Amino acid sequence: LFVDIPGFPRLSTLLEVENLSKAINSYFEMMVDEVISNGGDVLKFAGDAFFAEWQALPPAAEVAGGEDDGSSAFKGVEEDP
């Protein structure tokens, strides 16, 4: 998974450095918590972006048995066109 903040360059020109730092740290904390709580691992941060991954999905029988594969946390999230 690759995640970045749309419009970050413009945002960085509008906010004071301290406020920008607080905003991006708050955003990363929220997003990283979601990744980790859904079984993912954050691999790398790069500017206003980060990379995360999940291990291979369990066999369909296990998922059908009620185990969550973590994808439900990202339903409705827009992808870059």
Side-chain angles (χ1 to χ4, degrees):
L1 174 71
F2 172 78
V3 179
D4 75 334
I5 301 174
F8 183 77
R10 174 143 169 75
L11 181 64
S12 69
T13 65
L14 299 174
L15 295 177
E16 297 287 330
V17 173
E18 186 174 324
N19 291 334
L20 180 63
S21 178
K22 286 179 184 179
I24 197 169
N25 287 336
S26 180
Y27 169 79
F28 279 147
E29 184 177 331
M30 177 188 67
M31 294 297 290
V32 167
D33 285 349
E34 283 297 316
V35 168
I36 292 170
S37 71
N38 285 285
D41 294 309
V42 175
L43 302 177
K44 182 178 183 176
F45 290 92
D48 67 316
F50 71 90
F51 299 85
E53 72 174 359
W54 282 258
Q55 298 300 315
L57 295 176
E62 290 181 32
V63 174
E67 293 185 24
D68 184 2
D69 66 5
S71 64
S72 61
F74 297 100
K75 286 194 166 79
V77 174
E78 290 184 29
E79 292 184 24
D80 256 354

